[in-house]
């Protein structure tokens, strides 16, 4: 990645989706104090998913409020036209959905999908922004990873149907987390595996054991009054250590 590097080691990435949008700067400060280094931003267009959140203008305001790494999850049907506005607004990494790029029946990449991915990757690289690829639970990631894994900074595995916070973790997704982590190791690829959906003190350890090193947590952080305790408890649940050390935890 030419711009800012994704923080290394075990990271909890609070998802602002569950925060109070009436006082976002304050909400962000509470997770900074809790030791978060990545902020997960869920962009939804009401078409790719049945919910609407926010776009580049809010990302710009968030950028002005924090130095945290802005991990921006695009749950939108036409991501290519929005790459530059999000990067110009201060996003550090954009994650696109495989399904929005183009999948064949069964979830593998279509040739048009690979073409769109390559176009997005080249454009983000030129702007110094990281690139992630995400998969709905019904989409099999392996065909995509074989084709484009080398170009990725992040693989975001959905462990709920995208669209809403507070849903139950789908344990059936654990094997794909393990396969994606193993593949990066075997091939010497640089991507981190991130898990998104239903992360809690009950599910964090299984994600860590499967090889994920970034755990998105929305309701498990923002539904708690004490954000410092919530983040510490999640880190401890994931890798046995509650406090942040250089570069994160349990790399
Ligand atoms: C859901 C979003 C998630 C969401 C997770 O589509 O991608 O990032 O905020 O929320 P929790 O952690 O509450 O499952
Ligand atoms: Zn997300």
């Amino acid at each position: 990645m030419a711009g800012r590097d994704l923080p290394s080691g075990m990271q909890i990435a609070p998802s602002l989706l569950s925060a109070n949008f009436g006082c976002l700067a304050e909400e962000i400060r509470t997770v900074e104090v809790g030791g978060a280094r990545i902020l997960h931003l869920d962009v939804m267009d009401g078409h790719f998913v049945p919910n609407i959140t926010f776009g580049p203008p809010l990302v710009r305001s968030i950028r002005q409020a924090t130095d945290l790494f802005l991990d921006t999850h695009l749950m939108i049907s036409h991501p290519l036209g929005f790459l530059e506005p999000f990067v110009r607004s201060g996003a550090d990494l954009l994650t696109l959905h495989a399904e929005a790029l183009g999948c064949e029946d069964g979830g593998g990449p279509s040739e048009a999908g690979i073409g769109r991915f390559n176009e997005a990757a080249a454009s983000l690289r030129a702007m110094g922004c990281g690139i992630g690829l995400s998969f709905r639970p019904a989409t099999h990631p392996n065909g995509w990873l074989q084709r484009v894994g080398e170009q990725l900074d992040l693989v975001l595995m959905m462990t709920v149907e995208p669209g809403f916070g507070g849903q139950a973790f789908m344990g059936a997704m654990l094997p794909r987390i393990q396969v994606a982590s193993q593949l990066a190791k075997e091939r010497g690829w640089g991507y981190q595996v991130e898990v998104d959906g239903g992360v809690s003190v009950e599910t964090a350890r299984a994600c860590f054991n499967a090889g994920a090193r970034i755990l998105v947590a929305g309701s498990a952080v923002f539904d708690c009054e004490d954000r410092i305790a919530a983040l510490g408890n999640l880190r401890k649940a994931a890798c046995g250590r509650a406090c942040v050390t250089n570069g994160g935890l349990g790399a």
Side-chain angles (χ1 to χ4, degrees):
M1 228 188 289
R4 285 215 277 172
D5 284 337
L6 198 51
S8 61
M10 225 308 290
Q11 302 287 338
I12 304 294
S15 161
L16 272 195
L17 188 61
S18 293
N20 180 347
F21 277 48
C23 50
L24 274 186
E26 248 329 292
E27 293 282 70
I28 292 168
R29 213 141 23 241
T30 64
V31 297
E32 285 176 346
V33 171
R37 299 177 65 200
I38 301 174
L39 203 55
H40 184 82
L41 306 181
D42 288 303
V43 176
M44 305 186 188
D45 65 354
H47 185 262
F48 184 77
V49 288
N51 197 3
I52 297 177
T53 54
F54 52 82
L58 195 83
V59 174
R60 184 176 294 276
S61 300
I62 292 168
R63 177 77 293 162
Q64 285 161 3
T66 184
D67 282 331
L68 293 179
F69 187 95
L70 299 183
D71 160 30
T72 308
H73 180 188
L74 299 182
M75 286 164 275
I76 62 178
S77 294
H78 301 290
L80 262 62
F82 291 94
L83 303 180
E84 188 168 346
F86 279 108
V87 177
R88 300 276 170 248
S89 299
D92 293 301
L93 179 147
L94 297 182
T95 294
L96 290 77
H97 264 268
E99 306 83 10
L101 292 170
C103 290
E104 296 196 310
D105 295 347
S110 65
E111 284 312 310
I114 293 289
R116 287 187 200 100
F117 174 88
N118 286 333
E119 191 187 322
S123 153
L124 290 174
R125 212 176 296 125
M127 292 188 282
C129 183
I131 182 165
L133 188 60
S134 185
F135 305 92
R136 288 178 183 274
T139 306
H140 291 288
N142 295 356
W144 279 94
L145 295 182
Q146 297 285 349
R147 294 284 299 272
V148 305
E150 193 172 6
Q151 300 182 62
L152 292 170
D153 299 298
L154 186 79
V155 170
L156 192 171
M157 295 298 190
M158 291 306 306
T159 42
V160 297
E161 277 305 331
F164 299 92
Q167 303 180 73
F169 181 81
M170 297 168 73
M173 298 297 114
L174 287 167
R176 65 171 62 180
I177 296 167
Q178 192 157 18
V179 168
S181 311
Q182 197 56 38
L183 193 64
K185 245 185 226 161
E186 280 168 15
R187 305 278 173 98
W189 293 341
Y191 65 71
Q192 295 290 323
V193 178
E194 178 176 55
V195 175
D196 188 6
V199 169
S200 68
V201 288
E202 284 81 31
T203 59
R205 177 57 65 98
C207 299
F208 180 81
N209 286 345
R213 289 296 176 268
I214 305 174
L215 308 186
V216 174
S219 48
V221 170
F222 288 104
D223 287 0
C224 289
E225 286 275 296
D226 185 344
R227 309 288 161 70
I228 300 175
L231 283 160
N233 290 339
L234 284 166
R235 286 189 205 103
K236 188 146 196 241
C239 68
R241 281 180 286 160
C243 55
V244 184
T245 54
N246 275 348
L249 292 161

